[in-house]
Amino acid sequence: MIVDLSSKVAIVTGAARGIGAVYAKALAQSGAQVVVADIDASGAEETAAALRAVGRVAHGFGVDIADPEQTQKMAAFAQSQCGGIDILVNNAAFMKPVNAPLLTYPLELWRATLDVNVSGTLHCIRAVAPLMIERGGGSIVNQTSVGAFEGGHAYGISKLAIQGMTVWFAQELGRKGIRINCLAPGMINTPAGDASRPPGMVKGLTPTIPLKPLGEPEDLVGTLLYLVSDASAWVTGQTIRVDGGWIKRVA
Ligand SMILES: NC(=O)c1ccc[n+]([C@@H]2O[C@H](COP(=O)([O-])OP(=O)(O)OC[C@H]3O[C@@H](n4cnc5c(N)ncnc54)[C@H](O)[C@@H]3O)[C@@H](O)[C@H]2O)c1
């Protein structure tokens, strides 16, 4: 997909590795200046340096999205280094694999999951949206998961909460020029994704998924570029599943 983002500035959270690093690369290849943000500051800088080495404009930034002060600093960094923010991709997540029943789910893991995934997404939006409004608008993409539809304990609940938050933010921010949508991947081949799946899950689900059961991070890029670009100019408050046809919902 060819999308021209050459006048745009993008922040991608959780971009030191995995899907976020692939998103940062795709946005940079489309011409955007990219802030590669991650709690792993040195990993973020490595990813940014690799993009700079091939002639792209990228900056690493260390941030814990669960801390609102740090997300404010991230937004201020993008503003001062790049002159503003047009695109925010909320990709960072806490995805510890625990299959305990909800009745006995460890409270500290429940809190950590909601703190990073739900509150962290909120903090990033609150830090960035006022700067987007100053600039005339922008596009926010929240990475959720098929876990929001298929269950998945605290993790799935956190992703469902992000989808709910997206619907409400779409109402509040739309009139200010900001669109906000969710991209919900199916099973994606990353080390963290593999570690989060019980053994045999991909094989077990293969008969129920019409396209290939396990996607690559690159399989998500076309939808990301659609959502951040003017190709989706009249689309807000939506969740697009990119899952090989796994989840079946008529409405
Ligand atoms: N891999 C999959 O199968 C899959 C499927 C559906 C959805 N997702 C979603 O895609 C996203 C990326 O997944 P991935 O497989 O690349 O995972 P990953 O663990 O490789 O990447 C997540 C990144 O987020 C960073 N991060 C974690 N906590 C953070 C915090 N508090 N502040 C800032 N950064 C933080 C990590 O350091 C890491 O670099 C997540 O939102 C995940 O829920 C993944």
Side-chain angles (χ1 to χ4, degrees), residues 17 19 38 63-65 91 143 155 159 186 188 190 197:
R17 62 177 196 229
I19 298 169
D38 204 289
V63 63
D64 178 355
I65 62 163
N91 165 78
Q143 179 95 325
Y155 174 77
K159 295 296 190 178
I188 303 296
T190 66
R197 286 183 277 275

Side-chain angles (χ1 to χ4, degrees), residues 11 13 35 37 61-81 84-85 88 90 119-132 134 169:
I11 298 177
T13 67
V35 175
F61 191 83
V63 63
D64 178 355
I65 62 163
D67 177 350
E69 275 180 30
Q70 293 189 37
T71 58
Q72 290 289 340
K73 285 185 184 151
M74 174 184 75
F77 174 82
Q79 180 83 358
S80 65
Q81 287 289 313
I85 307 161
L88 168 65
N90 284 312
S119 303
T121 298
L122 175 76
H123 300 325
C124 290
I125 294 168
R126 282 183 166 180
V128 167
L131 301 175
M132 285 182 167
E134 260 177 36
F169 264 125

Side-chain angles (χ1 to χ4, degrees), residues 23-43:
Y23 283 176
K25 184 176 170 194
L27 293 167
Q29 277 175 338
S30 301
Q33 287 189 66
V34 180
V35 175
V36 176
D38 204 289
I39 198 165
D40 170 7
S42 60

